[in-house]
Amino acid sequence: MQIEYVVPCHFGLEAVLKREIRDLGYEISQVEDGRVSFYGDELALCRANLFLRSAERVLLKAGEFSAGTFEELFQGTKQIPWEQYIPENGKFWVAKAASVKSRLFSPSDIQSIMKKAMVERMKEHYHKNWFPEDGSEYPVRVFIKKDVVTVGIDTTGESLHKRGYRPQSGKAPISETLAAALILLTPWKRDRILVDPFCGSGTFVIEAAMMAADIAPGMNREFTAENWGNLIPKKHWYEASTEAQDRIRQDVTADIQGYDIDAEVIRTARKNAVNAGVDHLIHFQQRAVRDLRHPKPYGFIITNPPYGERLEEKETLPQIYQDFGKSFRGLKDWSAYMITSYEDTERWFGRKADKNRKIYNGMIKTYFYQFMGPKPPRRKKEEQGV
C-alpha cells in the first residue's frame, strides 16, 4: 500500500534530505521550505525513522484541504478517516499547529477545533460518546500555509535529533540532524581526513564516524509508531532493524579528529562517542585552534566555532577566528566548512568564502561558510580504492 509521508527538516537543507530519501529508494512527491514528502509502503515508515540523518521527524500524511475559516477547518478535519488510523482506545491530540501566510493563525484555537472534529468523527464511527484514550499515542501535527491545511500523524515521537548518544551537551550545541546534514553538504568521504577544532560535545565527529561505519542514526532509540499494532506490523520494525545491523561496517577505519581547548568538554565528547559506538574511530584531544596541524594534504575541517552569543565572549572572537584562519592557511590543500552567526567571520578568518549558505540553527540565523581546497589527484584516489 502506497502511503504519503511528510518529513520536516532544517530550512535550507531540503536538497540533502531529498537525496537521502531517494537513496533509500523512495519517490519524492513534493519539496517545500523545511519539508520533503515522499511515497512509500508501511516498511518505509520504519526505515525512514531509522536511517534518515537530516530529518527532524516522519509524519504519516492523513489529509490535506483548504480552510480559511474555523468552520472549514472543522469540516475538513472531520472528513479525514481517523478511524483508519486511530483505534478506539488510542490517545490522540493535536501536538503542534503552525501557520504561515494564512487566515487561521492561532495555534491553540486550531488545536482545539481540530481535536473536537476528530472526536466527532470517531463518535460517528465507533458509536460512542466518550473515549478512554488509554492506549497507544497518535499525536497529530498540522501545518497551514496560504490556507492549505496539511495534517500528519507523528510516527517519531521525540525529534530524530535525539539519537540517544548525547545525554550531556557542551556549550552552544549543534543538533545531531543539523550536523549530519552539513556533513552531507560537503564532499567528505570516509577515506578523507576530518577535523573539528571546536568539537564541543563531539556532534560533528560522531555523526561523521557513524556515516563512515554506516551506523543508522535511529538504532539506539524508540519511536511512537512502534506501538501502532493496528497500522504497522511488528515484523516491519524487525526487518528495518535487521537491515540496520547488517549494514554496520565493523572493519572500517577512519581519520576523524575532535579538538577543543576545554578538557572537560573533551571528556564529555569521549563519553558521547562511546555511547554512539564510534569511539574507536575518533581521536579526541585537548588542543587550541592555534595549534591545529596535520602533515597530510586534502583534509576537511567541518566545525561550529563560537558565535559570541554571550556578551563577554564577543571580545574574544576576532582572536579565535584569526587563529583559526592562520592554522587553516598552514594546512596544505585542505577545505574548511563552518557554521556560525558571527558577522565578521571572513574578515578575521582572512579569506572570503567560496560559497556560503543561510541556515537557521533554531532561531539563530547562521551561515555555512565553505572554503574549498583542490580535489586530490585521481591517481591517489584509485590507489585508495575509491
Side-chain angles (χ1 to χ4, degrees):
M1 183 175 79
Q2 284 290 91
I3 301 164
E4 191 171 11
Y5 298 100
V6 181
V7 187
C9 65
H10 278 272
F11 280 90
L13 294 170
E14 299 83 4
V16 174
L17 177 57
K18 181 181 170 183
R19 189 170 74 231
E20 278 203 277
I21 292 168
R22 281 215 172 118
D23 287 348
L24 280 181
Y26 301 115
E27 179 197 343
I28 305 293
S29 57
Q30 197 173 16
V31 179
E32 300 164 273
D33 286 346
R35 55 193 176 140
V36 179
S37 302
F38 74 96
Y39 293 113
D41 54 11
E42 294 160 335
L43 177 60
L45 181 157
C46 312
R47 293 183 75 231
N49 273 300
L50 271 169
F51 291 110
L52 292 177
R53 298 182 189 277
S54 59
E56 292 301 309
R57 60 184 65 250
V58 179
L59 308 176
L60 190 162
K61 188 172 175 180
E64 191 167 85
F65 56 89
S66 294
T69 66
F70 284 123
E71 178 59 25
E72 287 170 347
L73 179 69
F74 182 90
Q75 294 302 335
T77 305
K78 195 179 169 190
Q79 288 298 312
I80 294 170
W82 292 108
E83 66 280 357
Q84 289 179 18
Y85 305 109
I86 304 169
E88 206 170 323
N89 68 337
K91 183 180 180 184
F92 59 99
W93 73 104
V94 181
K96 186 168 183 190
S99 174
V100 175
K101 296 177 181 170
S102 298
R103 283 175 282 176
L104 302 178
F105 55 84
S106 161
S108 57
D109 288 338
I110 292 164
Q111 286 167 295
S112 67
I113 282 161
M114 289 185 72
K115 169 76 181 197
K116 281 176 190 161
M118 290 168 75
V119 170
E120 285 307 308
R121 172 82 189 204
M122 300 275 279
K123 276 183 184 176
E124 286 176 12
H125 179 79
Y126 289 114
H127 308 294
K128 291 180 79 168
N129 284 321
W130 182 81
F131 297 94
E133 296 200 45
D134 55 3
S136 300
E137 296 185 344
Y138 296 80
V140 170
R141 288 181 166 244
V142 59
F143 180 67
I144 309 178
K145 184 176 181 181
K146 295 181 181 174
D147 296 337
V148 175
V149 184
T150 304
V151 185
I153 308 174
D154 182 14
T155 75
T156 303
E158 270 201 307
S159 169
L160 287 173
H161 80 266
K162 299 273 193 184
R163 312 281 207 229
Y165 67 71
R166 197 174 78 171
Q168 310 164 282
S169 294
K171 287 184 285 185
I174 190 163
S175 82
E176 294 86 332
T177 45
L178 178 54
L182 294 176
I183 296 167
L184 290 169
L185 263 182
T186 77
W188 177 79
K189 295 287 182 285
R190 60 173 159 250
D191 63 323
R192 305 278 292 274
I193 303 152
L194 189 149
V195 176
D196 181 352
F198 304 97
C199 77
S201 54
T203 312
F204 270 123
V205 288
I206 291 170
E207 289 295 321
M210 288 174 73
M211 288 178 198
D214 206 358
I215 296 172
M219 277 190 76
N220 296 315
R221 53 159 292 161
E222 294 174 342
F223 306 100
T224 298
E226 285 182 75
N227 299 313
W228 294 357
N230 62 316
L231 289 178
I232 310 296
K234 275 278 184 235
K235 67 174 183 180
H236 289 330
W237 289 105
Y238 294 134
E239 200 177 319
S241 184
T242 302
E243 181 190 352
Q245 289 289 349
D246 290 346
R247 278 173 58 163
I248 297 173
R249 297 172 60 115
Q250 305 285 5
D251 57 340
V252 79
T253 57
D255 189 348
I256 299 172
Q257 301 168 30
Y259 303 135
D260 203 283
I261 199 165
D262 186 330
E264 186 55 43
V265 158
I266 287 291
R267 276 194 285 276
T268 298
R270 277 201 186 102
K271 281 182 198 163
N272 293 341
V274 169
N275 293 341
V278 293
D279 51 306
H280 62 296
L281 294 173
I282 307 169
H283 170 68
F284 287 107
Q285 192 179 345
Q286 183 186 1
R287 187 190 283 198
V289 70
R290 65 175 173 270
D291 300 323
L292 177 59
R293 308 276 185 278
H294 204 290
K296 292 181 181 173
Y298 307 115
F300 283 76
I301 293 169
I302 305 178
T303 193
N304 175 34
Y307 294 359
E309 289 305 310
R310 286 188 288 278
L311 211 56
E312 67 271 19
E313 288 177 353
K314 274 264 197 299
E315 295 165 16
T316 66
L317 291 183
Q319 190 63 56
I320 289 170
Y321 282 80
Q322 215 167 5
D323 288 347
F324 184 12
K326 193 174 175 185
S327 291
F328 177 61
R329 286 189 289 278
L331 294 165
K332 183 175 163 53
D333 295 332
W334 277 49
S335 300
Y337 298 81
M338 67 171 114
I339 181 169
T340 176
S341 67
Y342 183 45
E343 289 174 3
D344 287 331
T345 290
E346 291 168 311
R347 176 187 168 195
W348 294 111
F349 191 71
R351 178 175 158 183
K352 188 158 174 55
D354 297 300
K355 282 186 188 175
N356 78 26
R357 181 187 282 244
K358 185 169 33 171
I359 290 162
Y360 279 87
N361 183 6
M363 297 308 290
I364 304 168
K365 183 173 74 174
T366 64
Y367 289 91
F368 190 48
Y369 292 93
Q370 302 165 56
F371 304 89
M372 267 92 102
K375 291 180 182 177
R378 188 173 290 277
R379 185 174 54 80
K380 285 189 180 176
K381 280 190 170 187
E382 284 163 0
E383 285 169 10
Q384 291 164 357
V386 174

